[in-house]
Amino acid sequence: MGRFIVRRLLHGLVLLFMVATVVFVLGRLTGNPVDLMLPEDATAEDRTRLIKSLGLDGPMHTQFLVFIGNALQGDLGTSIRMRQPAVDLFFSRLPNTLVIIPWAILLAMVVGIPLGVVAALNRGNMLDRGAGTIAVLGIATPNFWLGIVLIFVFSVELGWLPSGRMGGPEHYVLPVITLGTFLTAGFMRLTRSSMLDVLESEFVKLARIKGLSETVVIWKHCLRNAMIPLLTLWGVFVGNLITGAIVTETVFAWPGVGRLTYEAVIYRDFPLLQAVIILKSILILSINLLVDILYAYVDPRIRLS
Amino acid sequence: MNQDTVLQVRDLATYFELRRGVVKAVDGVSFDLRRGEVLGLVGESGCGKSLTALSIMRLLPKGGARTVRGEVRLGGENILELPASRMRDIRGRRISMILQDPQTSLNPVFTIGEQLREAIFRRAPAKTAEIMKEAVAALRRVEIAAPESRISQYPHQMSGGMKQRVVGAIAMSGEPQVLIADEPTTALDVTIQLQYLKLLKRLQTETGMAILFITHDFGVVARMCDRVAVMYAGRIVECGPVAEVFERPAHPYTRALIASVPKMTGERGRLATIEGQPPSLLDLPPGCRFAPRCNLAEPQCIATYPETADIGPAHTVSCWRSDTR
Ligand SMILES: Nc1ncnc2c1ncn2[C@@H]1O[C@H](COP(=O)(O)OP(=O)(O)OP(=O)(O)O)[C@@H](O)[C@H]1O
Ligand SMILES: [Mg+2]
């Protein structure tokens, strides 16, 4: 298990290095990044100073070494718009995102997974079809549209819930639903289909031959196996959570890293965007490592090979 | 019902009700299983052996399978009529089953110990530590080396033969009166097959349980069974003591099956195979189901199904021409 984690960590570091390289190269491809970084009224003097401070006067490979060297020391540049280190900005916003993502995942787990199991057990009847239709809608509905509709119905028309900004528990409801809907629907569909496969397997038959109760057969023997495909497809879900967070936080004026990303793009804050991409990559890689560990825990064939 | 009969099956019929028609996979199967005996159930692939077993266990596959008539009496009561919860109590404790493929019979995500524990717990609810001792003993009984270390392993860490032993240990841990073994050695290597059959035979003599032994191999029947029932296209066509059936097979199908067993002794004769295909279970002939492939068939065979007749001590056959050799 220890070796497994170390291998994954090294793997993650290689990926991170690749992301950093791509970000670096993209930054140079679009012309001298300094032009993007400087405000419109900057003087030629400002320009040379910035070029020097970023090490942009040297050849490409030394520039890259400087970039990596700074990054290793935790310096990913300074936001042009807010004139603060990009890393600090990211970490000041991160907690706000981290408070909604787990709720969205939790929503998907407590609603999506049991619903998938129930749908599989009722295969083909009204309940299964109803749940299936809702799930397809949930997958197909774009986040921003869902967010706006929810605001319109529950904030504007009914006035039950706040339409945005951080605050008490009631502020979380709509953003969490907006962010969690795709995940919930995805979990439901996947759980249903893998459950259907598992239900037909011989070991389920043997569990029944032993005389185990249906509850144990379904929720212990079947579900644990049905979770394996869910964990293998985790990458898809993480990707959706990260992009979903950008949209959700923008719609609900939620001051997290998603909104920070949006702002970086809109205001052409290139150093900030660069930092956000790299830091988010680290975040995704850590989540993936966690999921891999969970995966290995659920499936002994991975853990022990 | 005879004092010695532990399992009595009467006119058992299980159909698949599909859109394109009714597949009569098991169509009026009757037999008795006596205390302490091994009854072989032989027949070609697809003749309904597994489905007979699953109908008895009431574990039919999803997708239209339904037991439409018949009785399965276990110790006098018809278990087909029991509520699901009573049936669950019976499974594992009074009647149990070994499945064909050891590669898929064990749950890949739980340890061998855990899977045994669940089965042992039903017979003797106790603390996990105590049950684990029993689990080790159960593994030792099925001749698994170093059982203490096997307990914490997962199925993928074991060979096929070993897995099938574990499945056997699980199936027998409730000390059932009746064990159904559905081709337990088909998926194993030949050398391992023999070991497994010996093991099963030994455990059977030790515990006195009755075994319904399903196979398509008459050679295995000769080795394992006291009596044999020959199944063809959803029905039992001949049944009797193994020696009697081997010496005086009455049904042409039985004769063909016996002839197709490769002889271990003597020069290698040509392996006899049976001409033609079994009938479609969707569209069965009204008469004898073997008639289209039978070289003794007469108009009567094609017109009406032959009643089961006694032709010797405990030897029955369904054939119009059983007197013709
Ligand atoms: N899901 C299904 N739908 C329709 N027919 C089925 C289905 N499953 C099985 N059958 C039919 O039931 C018949 C009996 O199947 P069964 O598994 O009992 O055969 P078997 O004698 O055990 O064969 P084998 O030696 O290959 O295990 C088969 O001929 C098959 O056509
Ligand atoms: Mg079979």
Side-chain angles (χ1 to χ4, degrees), chain A residues 200 202-203 205-206 208-214 216 220-221 224-225 228 298-301 303-304, chain B residues 59 62 88 91-92 96-97 99 104-110 114-115 118-119 122 154 156-157 170:
Chain A
E200 288 303 307
E202 292 290 293
F203 63 77
K205 215 183 266 171
L206 186 67
R208 292 200 171 113
I209 288 170
K210 286 197 265 189
L212 299 180
S213 71
E214 273 308 280
V216 174
K220 179 179 172 185
H221 282 262
R224 181 96 173 246
N225 280 279
I228 292 171
V298 171
D299 190 347
R301 284 163 296 189
R303 190 187 337 149
L304 299 167
Chain B
L59 290 174
K62 290 257 159 19
R88 204 155 49 233
R91 277 189 217 120
S96 195
M97 186 168 169
L99 301 169
T104 53
S105 297
L106 293 169
N107 193 326
V109 304
F110 295 108
E114 172 60 14
Q115 298 186 54
E118 288 178 326
R122 293 205 52 239
Y154 289 89
H156 76 273
Q157 294 169 295
I170 288 174

Side-chain angles (χ1 to χ4, degrees), chain B residues 46 49-51 100 182-183 214:
Chain B
K49 305 181 297 288
S50 297
L51 217 56
Q100 180 168 344
D182 187 359
E183 308 201 31
I214 298 177

Side-chain angles (χ1 to χ4, degrees), chain A residues 72-137:
Chain A
L72 284 178
Q73 291 163 41
D75 177 8
L76 286 172
T78 307
S79 160
I80 300 162
R81 195 168 69 95
M82 286 169 273
R83 311 208 177 276
Q84 280 180 51
V87 175
D88 293 358
L89 277 171
F90 183 86
F91 281 104
S92 70
R93 295 287 195 91
L94 185 62
N96 298 342
T97 296
L98 289 188
V99 290
I100 56 168
I101 284 184
W103 289 113
I105 296 176
L106 194 71
L107 177 76
M109 280 177 22
V110 300
V111 178
I113 293 175
L115 221 57
V117 172
V118 172
L121 294 179
N122 291 281
R123 177 183 200 169
N125 71 17
M126 288 301 283
L127 204 145
D128 179 28
R129 282 193 223 143
T133 312
I134 294 173
V136 168
L137 286 177

Side-chain angles (χ1 to χ4, degrees), chain B residues 8 15 29 39 56 61 67 76 94 115 119 133 141 148 151-152 171 182 184-185 197 233 240 243 245 254 271 286:
Chain B
Q8 186 178 55
Y15 296 167
V29 163
L39 171 66
I56 294 169
T67 296
R94 289 175 58 198
Q115 298 186 54
K133 269 191 219 133
R141 246 192 325 273
E148 293 84 359
I151 274 294
S152 52
D182 187 359
T185 59
L197 292 177
V245 171
T254 313
L271 194 71

Side-chain angles (χ1 to χ4, degrees), chain A residues 43 52 60 62 99 102 142 159 183 211 213 217 229 236 241 245 258-259 264 275 278:
Chain A
T43 61
K52 243 199 152 59
M60 204 64 146
T62 33
V99 290
L183 208 62
S213 71
V217 171
V236 178
L241 274 177
R259 190 171 167 85
I278 290 174

